[in-house]
Amino acid sequence: MKKIFFMKNGSKIIAAALAGIMLLSVAGCSSNNTNAPSPEAPPASEAAPAPEGAEASSGPEAGFEFPTEDITLTFSWWGSDSRHEAFQNVIDLYTAKHPNVTIEPDYGAFDSWTQKIQTQLGGQEEADVMQVNYNWVHSFGKGQNVFADLNQYGHIIDLSNWPQTDLDSMSTGGELGAVPHGTNARVFYYNKPLFEGAGIEYPKTYAELIEAGKVISANNTPTGADNKYVHINVGTPTQNVATDLFIAQMLYDKTGKVMQENGVVNYTIEEVAGVLNTYKSFEDAGAFPTYQQDDPIQNESNPLWTSGRVGSVFEWVGTMDKYLDSYKDGTAKDEIVVAPYITEVEGQEVKIYAKPSLGYAVSRNSEYPEVAADFINFMFTDEEAILALGTSLGVSSHKATREVQEREDFVKGAMKMGYDLLTNYELVIMDPYFEDENIRGQRYIAIEEFRSGKSDAQAAAKIYIENQQAELDKLLK
Amino acid sequence: MPTTKRKTNLTPYILLAPWFIGFVVFKVYPIISSFWYSLTETNLILQETTFVGLQHYIEIFTTDNIFKTSFVATLKYVLIGTPMVMVAAFFIAFVLNFKLKGVNFFRTAYYIPSILGGNVAVSILWTMLFNTNGPINIVLGVFGIEPVNWLTNETYAVFVLIFLKTWQFGSTMLIFLSALQNVSASLYEAASIDGASKARQLFSITLPIITPMVLFNAINVLVKAFQEFNSAYLITKGGPNRTTYFLNVYIYDTAFRMNNFGYASAITWILLLIIGVLTAIIFSSSSYWVYYND
């Protein structure tokens, strides 16, 4: 299990360290890309020569001969409208700098995107550059890398910009499958007016969560249109990612053990059953909607969230912007704040599950892998590109990108609060197969059966562990 | 005796070639290759294929509880949905066969849902309609019926999808309508003279004469019901608790989400066999209830 540390008060230290490393990275990445210029940075043309072993990163001066013939690349990604617009702008910037390059976009919502990419990979029809999810790097090839090994393009993409832990998490079978954008973790985002209106504090413990439920949901009816809840875990009944992660985090907090270790599910039936029963007590108290009360719209457009009738969501810090945009039509973003993780005991030291937020991979079948790598490098190092991307992808762990994001004060409001909050915790990168569709699919089944009343806690816990283990065994055999 | 050399006329073969090539490439080849896949462990991404014989079939029938759940859900949908579509389509076709004012408008109006199909917009519409606080519950509330979360209720969720299928009876209705219009008016005149009531005319003249079309529609609707995918995938996502997890959704998930094409192909072949057997049963029974004018 790989760990990265955002120790208490570590943000200043990290910022100082980043600033120092930044200077090195400016030297490391040269050429006509700005390479995260700071106000003090010399013009690109005057930048210090690349240190030994680190070639220039883009354009004709880059560490490869940039082709002069007409080139067409494809670039696929998923995301919300803000991301689509941002990537389109980046494509325009890149093709303006390289008029002989055409980049054809292929984008959509995340729903079914994994299936699409798997099918494309199966048919060797994937895009040259792909936005990829953390688990794809590991699960698609069952431990073998199915993308181009980006270590081979270190002369184009300066890999020293990333913490080694980030690169390790995107590596499989000894190859670097993708470079990550940043680190992502789920954070509790609170609807301030709802709590103020109810005259209660944000819950810090499970007991307080239950008490808050009794207050906020006092006037709820079994299926009422105006029901209010302390919290919702957004996700469909059959694929409830938020509930899965919420319960996984509860299990981690309770046992101090991660979900899977060395191919073995780490929990006992009693441990899982205990957590499931605690989760049920939140629903029973009206803090969470029950299975029967779940709204069919299970994304950022969930009416409970958009209308401000729910006190909190548990969402990825890196993509919180879409929830901020949908909350009251984006007109009240300052009403959303963050608060510490809810734990069983107040002040309990907890470790938080995290993962690379997303990454970029190059197709093994790409005709122009170096140009594809150059485009990836461009997104991380060209100032205009970084500005165009804004925070549509969250905060980057790439030194140069992060420096521009901080200098331009991109990360603010609830998203900044979320990232700042994470510096108080130890983040633990989840197991590579934590999000494997076959494996987490078994957890979804157990959770749904339990929430719907089809199985009791013991039976659901048995499914949770045994089915997950069976899938894990299949994958690792 | 003079010999005449027979000329081979290639025109019909050339005209048939585009269809035939398409049929072989897009139907025959996938069907055969899917059977091969069903005997293998196939990872398309890694381009790895391992022959496993009948292992997938054995697993499906012995240890795969999801298949059993999925099969039951599919069967429920088919056995309830097919008669409902047939009855609704025949009833509306029967009414629209009368010379009513604005009948052409109604024929078009009733056909429109079929054109819409099971697309995303329709699925959103259906989700809204059957939302806990949606119009269906509001109307039921007028009669004092407590609102139900239709889409998360294990009993009702499948009926929401059956209702959607029934609503899209347009194509079946049109076939019934064309059959009804081919029933000779002289038969009704004769029956009226003999004093047969309208109900008697329906059961003794209309229905027997259109039984070939009933057979055609029954098989058509049944096969399509077994292949249902969109509504379950888009509206209920196979839930709650897999009560709408139809075989086609299971096949899709297994192949494209779980990346297990071999196993998915095996389920596909079982589905093909189920459809084939049921179709054969209906066909063989047709000699007892289908009347041809020959």
Side-chain angles (χ1 to χ4, degrees):
Chain A
M1 185 58 60
K2 303 150 201 150
K3 297 180 180 179
I4 56 175
F5 298 93
F6 280 65
M7 301 306 289
K8 285 180 181 171
N9 302 317
S11 57
K12 287 178 186 168
I13 299 166
I14 291 170
L18 288 181
I21 298 163
M22 261 303 303
L23 293 172
L24 295 174
S25 69
V26 168
C29 314
S30 63
S31 88
N32 56 354
N33 274 357
T34 57
N35 299 316
S38 64
E40 296 78 30
S45 57
E46 297 170 21
E52 198 176 337
E55 298 287 340
S57 63
S58 179
E61 307 92 281
F64 73 107
E65 193 66 37
F66 201 93
T68 52
E69 73 266 30
D70 286 346
I71 293 168
T72 299
L73 290 183
T74 45
F75 174 32
S76 70
W77 72 86
W78 76 86
S80 58
D81 287 345
S82 60
R83 191 180 296 179
H84 301 330
E85 194 181 331
F87 274 138
Q88 293 277 10
N89 290 336
V90 170
I91 289 172
D92 291 343
L93 288 168
Y94 188 79
T95 51
K97 289 196 172 182
H98 301 285
N100 62 323
V101 178
T102 303
I103 298 179
E104 292 176 351
D106 179 15
Y107 58 88
F110 187 68
D111 195 25
S112 299
W113 195 256
T114 308
Q115 292 90 310
K116 174 176 170 163
I117 300 300
Q118 285 196 111
T119 310
Q120 287 179 339
L121 285 165
Q124 301 183 347
E125 293 290 332
E126 70 275 16
D128 296 281
V129 180
M130 287 164 276
Q131 179 189 298
V132 298
N133 220 353
Y134 166 55
N135 66 308
W136 297 4
V137 174
H138 304 277
S139 290
F140 282 4
K142 299 185 175 184
Q144 292 180 49
N145 180 31
V146 299
F147 305 106
D149 178 12
L150 294 184
N151 285 318
Q152 305 295 318
Y153 303 100
H155 58 294
I156 299 170
I157 306 173
D158 182 0
L159 299 175
S160 67
N161 274 296
W162 283 274
Q164 191 56 42
T165 47
D166 279 23
L167 298 179
D168 288 346
S169 65
M170 284 297 204
S171 298
T172 189
E175 295 184 0
L176 179 61
V179 286
H181 176 79
T183 301
N184 217 351
R186 292 241 168 183
V187 170
F188 286 92
Y189 284 91
Y190 287 93
N191 168 352
K192 194 163 56 170
L194 190 76
F195 280 89
E196 285 176 352
I200 53 174
E201 299 286 322
Y202 306 124
K204 294 183 284 296
T205 64
Y206 296 161
E208 287 179 10
L209 180 60
I210 289 170
E211 287 308 309
K214 289 174 185 167
V215 175
I216 288 177
S217 67
N219 299 318
N220 283 4
T221 59
T223 51
D226 299 319
N227 281 2
K228 292 178 182 174
Y229 302 95
V230 180
H231 180 85
I232 51 166
N233 283 320
V234 178
T236 62
T238 49
Q239 291 174 37
N240 197 331
V241 182
T243 304
D244 177 41
L245 285 166
F246 193 99
I247 287 171
Q249 188 63 53
M250 286 176 75
L251 274 164
Y252 196 4
D253 296 350
K254 189 179 178 69
T255 64
K257 296 182 291 187
V258 293
M259 182 70 70
Q260 305 154 7
E261 214 161 23
N262 301 321
V264 176
V265 178
N266 236 350
Y267 303 123
T268 64
I269 288 177
E270 283 66 36
E271 286 167 342
V272 175
V275 163
L276 289 175
N277 279 324
T278 306
Y279 190 90
K280 181 81 165 44
S281 68
F282 303 150
E283 294 187 349
D284 292 344
F288 295 5
T290 62
Y291 183 82
Q292 287 72 25
Q293 289 169 325
D294 277 345
D295 194 278
I297 299 171
Q298 288 296 336
N299 51 34
E300 66 274 15
S301 300
N302 183 299
L304 284 164
W305 170 256
T306 56
S307 64
R309 287 186 288 116
V310 66
S312 64
V313 288
F314 185 54
E315 282 303 320
W316 295 116
V317 65
T319 49
M320 189 56 201
D321 57 344
K322 62 184 180 183
Y323 277 84
L324 296 172
D325 288 341
S326 66
Y327 175 75
K328 297 184 180 175
D329 287 330
T331 58
K333 293 181 183 182
D334 56 348
E335 290 182 2
I336 305 302
V337 296
V338 299
Y341 284 77
I342 303 168
T343 52
E344 191 162 11
V345 181
E346 188 172 350
Q348 183 184 344
E349 290 273 335
V350 292
K351 296 172 185 174
I352 306 300
Y353 276 122
K355 66 172 186 176
S357 52
L358 53 88
Y360 300 103
V362 172
S363 164
R364 279 179 184 269
N365 303 303
S366 176
E367 200 179 337
Y368 301 100
E370 291 188 315
V371 180
D374 187 61
F375 176 61
I376 291 174
N377 188 56
F378 177 82
M379 287 194 278
F380 283 108
T381 56
D382 183 275
E383 180 160 4
E384 284 182 281
I386 298 167
L387 295 174
L389 284 171
T391 54
S392 60
L393 302 161
V395 172
S396 180
S397 58
H398 184 281
K399 281 173 266 183
T401 309
R402 176 129 183 188
E403 196 275 339
V404 175
Q405 287 182 327
E406 286 176 352
R407 194 190 72 214
E408 296 294 328
D409 200 21
F410 270 168
V411 187
K412 51 193 169 192
M415 187 182 264
K416 183 173 191 324
M417 289 181 218
Y419 278 105
D420 287 347
L421 179 78
L422 289 175
T423 63
N424 297 323
Y425 294 94
E426 182 180 329
L427 303 188
V428 176
I429 298 292
M430 54 180 61
D431 186 276
Y433 301 120
F434 186 103
E435 291 189 321
D436 180 272
E437 292 296 343
N438 293 284
I439 292 166
R440 72 175 172 186
Q442 303 306 318
R443 299 199 297 268
Y444 294 152
I445 291 171
I447 291 168
E448 190 189 14
E449 288 204 3
F450 176 68
R451 289 192 67 224
S452 65
K454 188 177 177 184
S455 296
D456 63 17
Q458 288 285 326
K462 198 165 181 288
I463 296 169
Y464 191 94
I465 294 166
E466 291 179 1
N467 288 21
Q468 198 181 165
Q469 186 63 58
E471 289 299 331
L472 206 47
D473 291 344
K474 265 192 221 170
L475 193 141
L476 296 173
K477 75 181 176 187
Chain B
M1 201 170 167
T3 57
T4 54
K5 199 175 179 183
R6 206 168 176 183
K7 254 188 173 178
T8 306
N9 188 354
L10 290 175
T11 309
Y13 299 103
I14 293 168
L15 290 173
L16 277 172
W19 174 85
F20 186 75
I21 293 166
F23 179 71
V24 170
V25 173
F26 297 113
K27 297 275 185 191
V28 177
Y29 172 72
I31 288 170
I32 293 169
S33 61
S34 77
F35 183 68
W36 164 248
Y37 280 136
S38 77
L39 304 175
T40 65
E41 195 80 69
T42 298
N43 185 324
L44 286 186
I45 295 176
L46 295 176
Q47 306 283 312
E48 286 177 355
T49 302
T50 313
F51 183 76
V52 294
L54 296 174
Q55 185 187 309
H56 292 320
Y57 292 94
I58 294 166
E59 193 177 332
I60 288 167
F61 287 117
T62 54
T63 58
D64 188 349
N65 290 327
I66 296 174
F67 175 80
K68 287 173 199 154
T69 309
S70 183
F71 177 67
V72 169
T74 311
L75 208 58
K76 194 172 179 183
Y77 179 78
V78 171
L79 294 182
I80 300 173
T82 303
M84 281 184 69
V85 173
M86 295 289 286
V87 170
F90 176 76
F91 177 74
I92 300 297
F94 188 71
V95 172
L96 295 181
N97 195 35
F98 292 112
K99 285 180 180 132
L100 302 170
K101 198 175 178 185
V103 71
N104 286 335
F105 167 76
F106 287 112
R107 284 174 186 172
T108 309
Y110 280 112
Y111 187 68
I112 285 173
S114 294
I115 301 170
L116 298 175
N119 61 30
V120 176
V122 170
S123 73
I124 292 171
L125 169 71
W126 231 243
T127 305
M128 294 297 177
L129 278 174
F130 288 91
N131 191 352
T132 312
N133 305 304
I136 301 288
N137 275 335
I138 291 171
V139 171
L140 292 175
V142 173
F143 301 100
I145 299 170
E146 284 292 313
V148 177
N149 195 339
W150 301 91
L151 301 174
T152 59
N153 186 297
E154 283 188 42
T155 307
Y156 301 132
V158 72
F159 287 98
V160 171
L161 305 188
I162 289 171
F163 187 37
L164 172 59
K165 182 172 178 58
T166 308
W167 179 62
Q168 296 178 327
F169 58 73
S171 302
T172 314
M173 177 200 77
L174 272 191
I175 292 166
F176 274 136
L177 190 59
S178 66
L180 290 171
Q181 289 177 344
N182 282 333
V183 180
S184 170
S186 61
L187 293 172
Y188 295 116
E189 285 167 17
S192 296
I193 292 165
D194 289 343
S197 66
K198 290 288 181 195
R200 183 69 192 270
Q201 288 176 30
L202 171 66
F203 288 105
S204 299
I205 298 173
T206 312
L207 279 175
I209 287 179
I210 68 163
T211 46
M213 285 301 126
V214 174
L215 173 67
F216 175 80
N217 272 338
I219 290 171
N220 217 9
V221 174
L222 181 103
V223 172
K224 281 182 182 165
F226 266 114
Q227 294 173 335
E228 183 59 33
F229 175 81
N230 283 2
S231 63
Y233 186 74
L234 294 170
I235 298 171
T236 58
K237 313 280 183 202
N241 285 320
R242 298 183 185 266
T243 48
T244 60
Y245 198 59
F246 302 147
L247 283 169
N248 254 3
V249 182
Y250 185 31
I251 291 166
Y252 172 83
D253 274 354
T254 307
F256 299 104
R257 208 153 69 83
M258 315 300 187
N259 194 23
N260 192 345
F261 281 85
Y263 200 80
S265 298
I267 306 169
T268 306
W269 268 86
I270 291 169
L271 177 62
L272 179 71
L273 287 176
I274 293 168
I275 294 173
V277 168
L278 280 175
T279 307
I281 290 171
I282 295 174
F283 259 118
S284 60
S285 74
S286 67
S287 56
Y288 299 102
W289 59 274
V290 177
Y291 302 95
Y292 295 101
N293 291 325
D294 52 19

